[in-house]
Amino acid sequence: MQSAVPLVSSQPLSRSDDRFRLLVDSVQDYAIFMLDLDGRIQTWNAGARCLKGYEADEIIGRSFELFYPAEAVERGWPREELRRAAAQGRFEDEGWRVRKDGSTFWASVVITALRDARGRLVGFGKVTRDLSERKRQEEALRRSEAQFRLLVEAVKDYAIFMLDPEGRVLTWNAGARAIKGYTAGEVVGQHFSMFFTAQDVAAGVPQSELDGARRTGGLEAEGWRVRKDGSQFWANVVITPVRDDTGVLRGFAKVTRDLTEQRRMQELEHSSRRMHEFLAMLAHELRNPLAPIRNASEIMQRMPALPAPLVRVRQIIDRQLGHLTRLIDDLLDVARIVNGKIVLRTEPIDYRDVVDASLDAVRPVVALRNQRLEVELPDSPLRMSADATRISQSLQNLLNNASRYTPAGGGIRVTVSVEDGACVTTVEDTGQGIAAEALERIFGLFEQEGPPHGHGDGGLGIGLSLARKLVELHGGALSAFSQGPGHGSRFTMRLPLEASDARPPQSQAPPEGDAPGVSRRVLVVDDNRDSADTMVSLLQLLGHEAQAVYGARDAVEAAQDFQPQLVLLDLNMPDGDGYSVLRQLREAMPGPLFVAAMTGYGQETDRRRTARAGFQAHLTKPVGIEELQRVLANAAGRQAPSP
């Protein structure tokens, strides 16, 4: 059986194979080993031993299927990997793998078909990385000269090469050729500073990297590197000093990855943020000249006996001024939302007033285009806690969008109803319709679906995106539907109603164990103020004493002050999660305290998780009145479980 003992020599490096042995043996971040044609393990390196837990004498000769979960073995996946590698020359995959102790880790695997000089398949080289901890470990590869050469040459995703103690290139693999563009003959013997920019060379960066690796035992860095053709790429570099058995420095092992694409995406994200900042500045600057224009229009409106031509001119100015103002307001609001700076000024409102105001704002535009506008509103109030200005802004955007994409003489219908505790508004038009693949895309920023019907005011493509974001900030949802181009479109906006209006009062007996007239103290912890406030209002209507706190940070202090008997606790909040708050509550309030999770996650796995964490009930939003009363009944006299 072939030995898996490292072949690092204490003699000076005089042969290329010794350099390859030193190179691979010095890298401990990868499990690198050979398989025969049947998948039996032939060699075993130090990285494999560290990663998988087996000694060489325990694993050599056994099937590599030992590393796969039973399910993968049953469906023949390990053999399929070898089949694909043999057919394609190389196979790369990610999946769960098993260590000797039975624990699993998420692995990145590259299998390469190894062939002799006549092209015959002689086995497979396998390289495995542990991606569960994202830490590279030095590998020590224990193979013969041919195995080392085949394995290192087969790796094409990383530039792996050796440097002598002075920084001259000693070895060069296929990955180095692919990334840097040089052949081995062009680069071996040259100083590795040839891969750095002129500025870095002048600043002494190459020597600084070698000194840092020598001093600390290894160095990782990122920076621009230069290819043979002069182009630059963003590189992640790991340099590891290679020493012999006596501790003498024999050189450096260097592994380079091309991260240009990842850096490009980061730069795009940065550019996007800068663009939004610019839009905010532009919108603010554009508002300044609008003020005197608005004033002039108002003065003209109040002039007695204004000539008819000027009346028409003033109306044109007023309409276009309104259109421009809406565009600027939308730009500002988009920038605020992107930067997380928009603030809702919520108050109790009757949603019908918002609808009336929105319709009044768009009627002149609809009339100008000779379009029919039909409205269906409930007779009874629609009470909700909302920012009336923002909700009206969203509805106006929907109405303006419907008018813009509906031809002259077309129709727009607005219907408001109550469904499942929510206020549902639909805006339907007989316009150009929306293709199925665009029904979600139109809500993207600066997205538009085809030109409008000759109105000349296509807008910036931000109205629908802004409308959805504002509705979602209120705890609602906005969606679109169309049967396709030429069949009109329908937008549906759902907003939560006040608890007292969301469901008609029902006469029912109290749940078992819930004595009528018994008031309890209930603390509601939820970062969504609308959700928390409406729940407090509902609890108060049910005769209980309730209080809200809008985040995890203040929950424990509020509970100590309020001394609740029941806590309704949200799980996901910006300043902490409900699980950590639960632990703090149990520590701070060891007496009887019933804690119920109140969350939008309602799958069975979510319920099991909250039960394991110690929650005594799991309420899924929106919480039904019967379910809430059942929890109130169960909370009476219950003792909190031991932490």
Side-chain angles (χ1 to χ4, degrees):
M1 182 179 294
Q2 185 171 351
S3 173
V5 177
L7 300 177
V8 180
S9 171
S10 61
Q11 300 302 317
L13 295 178
S14 58
R15 296 187 307 165
S16 179
D17 59 336
D18 290 333
R19 294 168 183 168
F20 274 110
R21 290 174 184 273
L22 273 174
L23 168 62
V24 179
D25 196 52
S26 66
V27 178
Q28 296 185 358
D29 299 305
Y30 303 86
I32 304 176
F33 52 94
M34 287 282 295
L35 306 175
D36 66 13
L37 294 176
D38 293 324
R40 290 188 295 268
I41 299 164
Q42 301 297 298
T43 64
W44 198 245
N45 77 323
R49 186 174 65 250
C50 293
L51 188 61
K52 298 179 182 292
Y54 291 94
E55 295 294 335
D57 56 3
E58 294 178 303
I59 198 67
I60 290 179
R62 301 178 69 179
S63 173
F64 82 123
E65 291 182 350
L66 188 65
F67 308 137
Y68 291 75
E71 177 272 333
V73 176
E74 288 175 2
R75 61 187 175 92
W77 182 244
R79 296 296 167 181
E80 177 64 14
E81 287 186 343
L82 295 186
R83 188 192 67 78
R84 294 189 186 185
Q88 303 170 10
R90 179 179 181 275
F91 179 75
E92 184 171 357
D93 188 29
E94 290 188 7
W96 291 109
R97 296 297 184 268
V98 183
R99 295 189 179 93
K100 177 184 176 181
D101 61 7
S103 63
T104 58
F105 65 99
W106 188 259
S108 168
V109 176
V110 177
I111 301 178
T112 304
L114 303 179
R115 301 181 182 275
D116 60 18
R118 288 179 289 181
R120 293 182 305 181
L121 184 65
V122 297
F124 300 91
K126 190 171 184 187
V127 181
T128 302
R129 286 189 296 161
D130 183 355
L131 295 185
S132 59
E133 298 182 0
R134 300 284 178 177
K135 292 181 180 179
R136 288 177 296 274
Q137 303 174 350
E138 285 191 341
E139 299 174 356
L141 189 60
R142 304 163 182 177
R143 305 185 176 203
S144 66
E145 174 184 352
Q147 291 168 337
F148 275 115
R149 288 184 177 275
L150 280 171
L151 194 54
V152 174
E153 278 297 318
V155 177
K156 296 183 179 179
D157 300 315
Y158 296 82
I160 305 175
F161 53 97
M162 280 283 294
L163 305 176
D164 68 11
E166 286 73 41
R168 290 184 292 269
V169 179
L170 298 175
T171 65
W172 199 245
N173 80 325
R177 287 197 303 271
I179 293 176
K180 299 178 181 291
Y182 293 95
T183 64
E186 293 173 314
V187 76
V188 171
Q190 302 294 319
H191 196 271
F192 85 121
S193 60
M194 65 188 295
F195 309 132
F196 289 75
T197 64
Q199 296 88 336
D200 284 348
V201 173
V205 173
Q207 187 59 45
S208 176
E209 287 189 354
L210 295 185
D211 292 341
R214 182 188 298 111
R215 182 173 59 255
T216 63
L219 178 140
E220 182 172 0
E222 291 189 5
W224 291 109
R225 296 295 185 268
V226 183
R227 296 187 179 93
K228 177 183 177 180
D229 61 7
S231 63
Q232 296 184 3
F233 67 100
W234 188 258
N236 171 270
V237 177
V238 176
I239 302 178
T240 305
V242 178
R243 302 181 184 275
D244 61 21
D245 293 338
T246 65
V248 175
L249 181 69
R250 313 307 301 176
F252 300 90
K254 189 171 184 186
V255 180
T256 301
R257 288 189 296 163
D258 184 353
L259 297 183
T260 307
E261 183 63 21
Q262 291 91 321
R263 181 177 174 83
R264 186 182 71 85
M265 295 303 298
Q266 293 173 355
E267 291 176 344
L268 285 176
E269 293 175 0
H270 177 69
S271 298
S272 177
R273 289 194 298 270
R274 293 292 300 273
M275 179 190 68
H276 291 305
E277 293 171 0
F278 168 75
L279 288 177
M281 178 196 68
L282 176 64
H284 279 294
E285 292 300 320
L286 288 176
R287 292 180 69 93
N288 292 327
L290 290 182
I293 297 175
R294 171 66 72 187
N295 294 339
S297 177
E298 292 293 337
I299 292 171
M300 291 175 64
Q301 185 178 10
R302 286 159 175 75
M303 289 181 64
L306 194 66
L310 289 183
V311 171
R312 183 173 180 274
V313 168
R314 192 207 65 78
Q315 291 173 342
I316 293 174
I317 293 174
D318 198 49
R319 283 197 302 270
Q320 297 306 315
L321 184 62
H323 179 61
L324 182 58
T325 301
R326 285 195 303 273
L327 291 178
I328 293 174
D329 287 340
D330 286 352
L331 278 175
L332 278 171
D333 286 335
V334 166
R336 289 192 188 105
I337 289 175
V338 169
N339 293 317
K341 295 181 179 179
I342 196 165
V343 178
L344 298 181
R345 294 177 174 84
T346 59
E347 59 182 349
I349 65 170
D350 183 349
Y351 178 69
R352 297 179 304 166
D353 296 335
V354 172
V355 176
D356 289 338
S358 302
L359 292 171
D360 289 342
V362 300
R363 276 195 174 96
V365 176
V366 172
L368 183 67
R369 295 169 179 168
N370 193 29
Q371 295 165 337
R372 301 183 310 278
L373 181 59
E374 302 175 10
V375 182
E376 182 178 333
L377 269 174
D379 295 329
S380 57
L382 298 171
R383 295 188 179 90
M384 64 177 63
S385 179
D387 187 326
T389 301
R390 297 302 187 187
I391 294 299
S392 179
Q393 185 179 3
S394 299
L395 184 54
Q396 285 184 52
N397 278 338
L398 295 183
L399 293 168
N400 282 318
N401 184 78
S403 178
R404 182 179 299 121
Y405 288 93
T406 299
I412 301 172
R413 180 175 179 81
V414 180
T415 305
V416 181
S417 61
V418 176
E419 299 177 7
D420 298 328
C423 178
V424 179
T425 304
T426 60
V427 178
E428 298 179 81
D429 63 63
T430 59
Q432 68 184 47
I434 307 169
E437 63 273 12
L439 287 173
E440 274 300 312
R441 189 177 67 238
I442 58 174
F443 290 104
L445 197 57
F446 306 119
E447 289 285 350
Q448 290 182 313
E449 180 63 8
H453 284 278
H455 301 317
D457 59 349
L460 299 176
I462 61 178
L464 292 179
S465 175
L466 178 61
R468 172 175 274 189
K469 288 180 172 64
L470 290 174
V471 169
E472 289 175 345
L473 286 174
H474 282 82
L478 178 60
S479 60
F481 172 78
S482 175
Q483 292 183 349
H487 294 281
S489 58
R490 180 175 72 246
F491 288 83
T492 302
M493 180 170 68
R494 299 179 65 92
L495 291 167
L497 287 169
E498 288 282 2
S500 57
D501 283 354
R503 192 181 299 269
Q506 299 179 4
S507 176
Q508 63 178 30
E512 183 180 351
D514 189 10
V518 176
S519 174
R520 297 185 181 84
R521 292 186 305 278
V522 184
L523 180 66
V524 181
V525 183
D526 195 333
D527 66 293
N528 186 319
R529 288 178 174 261
D530 290 339
S531 177
D533 291 342
T534 53
M535 177 57 72
V536 167
S537 299
L538 176 59
L539 289 166
Q540 291 171 345
L541 287 173
L542 293 174
H544 302 283
E545 185 180 355
Q547 178 177 310
V549 60
Y550 308 116
R553 184 178 299 114
D554 302 324
V556 176
E557 182 179 352
Q560 290 174 321
D561 293 339
F562 187 51
Q563 290 294 308
Q565 297 158 306
L566 168 63
V567 178
L568 302 180
L569 180 56
D570 189 18
L571 296 182
N572 293 321
M573 293 171 283
D575 59 344
D577 64 271
Y579 297 98
S580 60
V581 173
L582 175 65
R583 290 192 295 270
Q584 296 172 34
L585 285 172
R586 297 299 188 208
E587 294 172 359
M589 305 179 67
L593 179 63
F594 194 99
V595 184
M598 187 172 63
T599 174
Y601 299 105
Q603 298 294 326
E604 188 58 33
T605 54
D606 304 313
R607 294 179 180 275
R608 286 197 297 266
R609 184 184 179 193
T610 55
R612 286 195 301 267
F615 285 95
Q616 291 143 294
H618 185 110
L619 295 173
T620 303
K621 297 179 181 178
V623 180
I625 187 68
E626 297 87 356
E627 190 177 8
L628 177 61
Q629 288 181 326
R630 185 161 55 251
V631 169
L632 287 165
N634 292 337
R638 289 285 296 273
Q639 178 72 33
S642 300

